[in-house]
Amino acid sequence: MTNHRRVVICSLGVPHPREGASLVIIYNFIEPLRRAGFDILHIVLLEGDSAAAGPALESYRTTVESPHYEIVTVTTRKFVDQGPRAHTIDLSGCSRAIERATKFRADLVIAFDIVPAWVAASIPSRRKLAWLGDLNFQTTYYHGLYGLQERPWRLLSFAKFWLAARNWRHVYAKVLADYDEVIVSAESSVAQIAGLGLRNHGYRPYPWPVDDPPSDPSPKPATPTFMFFGNLVGLGSRSALHFMVAEVYRRLIGLWGQGGFQILIAGRGHLPEWFSVAIADKPEFVRIGFVEDLPATLAGCHGVLVPIDVPVGNRTRVLYALSQGALVIAHANVALGNPALIDGETCALGHDGKSFVARMERAFADPDWSQRIGEAGRTAYMQLFHPGRAGADFLSRVEALLAPPQADT
């Protein structure tokens, strides 16, 4: 049955089925809307060199454009100017897209994250829905804090980060006040958004597609072997690398001795300079770069390390590891964003270096324990974050917003 209700979608960047964490999530949110038969106008915001996004945009057009799915692009050097007193947005290049969206007469506007929500605030519609990834005012603050830790003499730089974070809080409060519903990707963000005086918001799991785990995994190595993977320059990795050097490494040396264990570090990009210097005399950290067959590599480890102690976000690397049935060993703060993480049930959580290493020790010594928790973690992923489940949940939120208001009885 065809459904011709009209939806405007606004996103920063080109949604993609496999590349870019937030873009993958957005792609898998949009898919159930396409299949449901809405008339969709998608405003794709592009920053910087638009030519770089050309191939991805053309591929996306080929995949989704139809009589019921129209794409309009907006390109600018930078949408947001972060000033010391206030952040401002450049809408000068958006007039054509906003005019088209106004004529579209949308029943619902869906904005994926704060910059699209800021742009879409100018688009008239009956209802508005915003989905938020990591909150900019949190990530900005913590990046500044780690910068100060790495270079203590740059106190003025931290002050700039603090001011930028404060100004982002003002943006979120002002922009989201006009939205009917705000969905946050991390449960820890619920309190943060409530602290801005906003009320109509809540946490929902998001869709994350993965490959199936190997049906016949390789046996674990005789040496305790763990993997750390992900975006090596993002806030999560920055936090985790600091925690491993400061809180975990020396305890592992005390437990297994020099050369008695391995921590495989996988991911695109270069290691941060400070971390490369810190591990120059620590051969137990093994840089393996981009891994072609991540499921098989994970299956050959005793656990996946997620020692992220910043209370921000709901990490896709965790979802990937859960989906593979791998034992996730995480800092307890990771569970603040993802309530599916329960110590001893779906993962192993440590609140400090000592308890974190204790869980690594058990992961190596007790394979039955590791397997049981890994299997429960995969079940949690399938029930909450599999695209079929999380996508259907998102569609139900859209349907609820579009439903006619109930008459008082």
Side-chain angles (χ1 to χ4, degrees):
M1 178 176 172
T2 303
N3 178 347
H4 289 302
R5 288 170 294 177
R6 304 170 77 79
V7 175
V8 169
I9 293 172
C10 192
S11 68
L12 182 61
V14 182
H16 195 280
R18 289 289 175 174
E19 297 288 334
S22 63
L23 298 176
V24 172
I25 293 168
I26 293 168
Y27 186 95
N28 283 276
F29 271 138
I30 291 174
E31 278 299 284
L33 302 183
R34 283 207 310 131
R35 291 194 296 268
F38 294 101
D39 279 339
I40 295 174
L41 172 67
H42 187 175
I43 300 174
V44 178
L45 307 177
L46 301 173
E47 280 187 323
D49 181 11
S50 60
L57 181 59
E58 288 310 305
S59 176
Y60 186 61
R61 285 189 187 278
T62 300
T63 301
V64 303
E65 269 196 323
S66 73
H68 298 291
Y69 199 106
E70 177 184 353
I71 297 173
V72 176
T73 60
V74 176
T75 302
T76 189
R77 183 184 64 83
K78 185 171 64 172
F79 282 101
V80 177
D81 179 29
Q82 298 192 46
R85 296 190 177 184
H87 299 336
T88 57
I89 191 164
D90 179 9
L91 296 177
S92 61
C94 299
S95 56
R96 183 177 67 89
I98 292 174
E99 180 181 357
R100 174 69 188 99
T102 300
K103 292 180 178 178
F104 189 75
R105 300 178 62 85
D107 298 299
L108 174 67
V109 166
I110 302 174
F112 287 105
D113 229 332
I114 190 61
V115 173
W118 205 348
V119 172
S122 303
I123 299 173
S125 68
R126 185 165 65 84
R127 308 299 296 273
K128 280 187 165 72
L129 166 67
W131 177 88
L132 303 178
D134 288 356
L135 305 178
N136 286 1
F137 56 84
Q138 284 193 294
T139 57
T140 299
Y141 170 79
Y142 281 109
H143 271 304
L145 200 62
Y146 281 115
L148 185 62
Q149 181 176 330
E150 293 159 14
R151 299 177 176 85
W153 59 90
R154 297 185 64 178
L155 188 59
L156 181 59
S157 178
F158 173 71
K160 292 179 179 178
F161 276 90
W162 185 89
L163 287 170
R166 180 201 64 178
N167 294 341
W168 271 118
R169 287 181 64 89
H170 296 330
V171 170
Y172 276 76
K174 180 181 178 181
V175 169
L176 298 176
D178 292 330
Y179 278 72
D180 298 282
E181 182 169 358
V182 177
I183 298 175
V184 295
S185 58
E187 189 176 53
S188 55
S189 296
V190 172
Q192 295 291 327
I193 296 297
L196 302 177
L198 302 171
R199 292 292 174 262
N200 194 15
H201 64 278
Y203 161 75
R204 299 304 307 163
Y206 57 80
W208 188 249
V210 294
D211 299 319
D212 290 332
S215 56
D216 187 20
S218 304
K220 309 295 185 192
T223 300
T225 303
F226 301 87
M227 174 171 277
F228 174 84
F229 70 96
N231 173 8
L232 297 178
V233 296
L235 177 61
S237 290
R238 197 173 191 180
S239 165
L241 298 178
H242 274 284
F243 188 83
M244 282 197 288
V245 169
E247 302 292 336
V248 173
Y249 178 76
R250 61 184 174 84
R251 288 185 169 90
L252 292 178
I253 292 294
L255 174 64
W256 286 315
Q258 291 187 337
F261 61 95
Q262 282 194 333
I263 297 177
L264 309 182
I265 300 177
R268 288 190 174 96
H270 298 289
L271 291 174
E273 182 180 355
W274 72 266
F275 184 69
S276 295
V277 172
I279 66 172
D281 60 346
K282 300 175 178 61
E284 296 83 5
F285 289 99
V286 181
R287 176 82 165 95
I288 61 175
F290 177 73
V291 177
E292 289 289 348
D293 191 348
L294 187 55
T297 308
L298 286 176
C301 296
H302 295 98
V304 173
L305 304 184
V306 193
I308 299 173
D309 60 349
V310 290
V312 177
N314 185 346
R315 307 298 175 188
T316 57
R317 71 188 78 185
V318 173
L319 304 185
Y320 193 99
L322 291 175
S323 76
Q324 300 301 301
L327 172 65
V328 171
I329 305 172
H331 191 282
N333 282 352
V334 177
L336 298 177
N338 185 346
L341 299 176
I342 302 172
D343 184 36
E345 295 186 22
T346 59
C347 67
L349 301 176
H351 63 276
D352 57 15
K354 181 179 179 181
S355 56
F356 192 90
V357 169
R359 281 147 180 80
M360 292 177 67
E361 181 180 16
R362 185 168 183 183
F364 175 69
D366 191 346
D368 292 338
W369 176 79
S370 297
Q371 182 177 353
R372 174 178 59 80
I373 294 176
E375 290 173 351
R378 175 167 169 76
T379 298
Y381 161 79
M382 295 297 294
Q383 292 177 344
L384 297 169
F385 297 96
H386 186 278
R389 288 293 184 94
D393 178 76
F394 183 70
L395 179 60
S396 72
R397 299 307 313 142
V398 169
E399 294 282 4
L401 279 173
L402 289 171
Q406 296 293 319
D408 293 335
T409 57

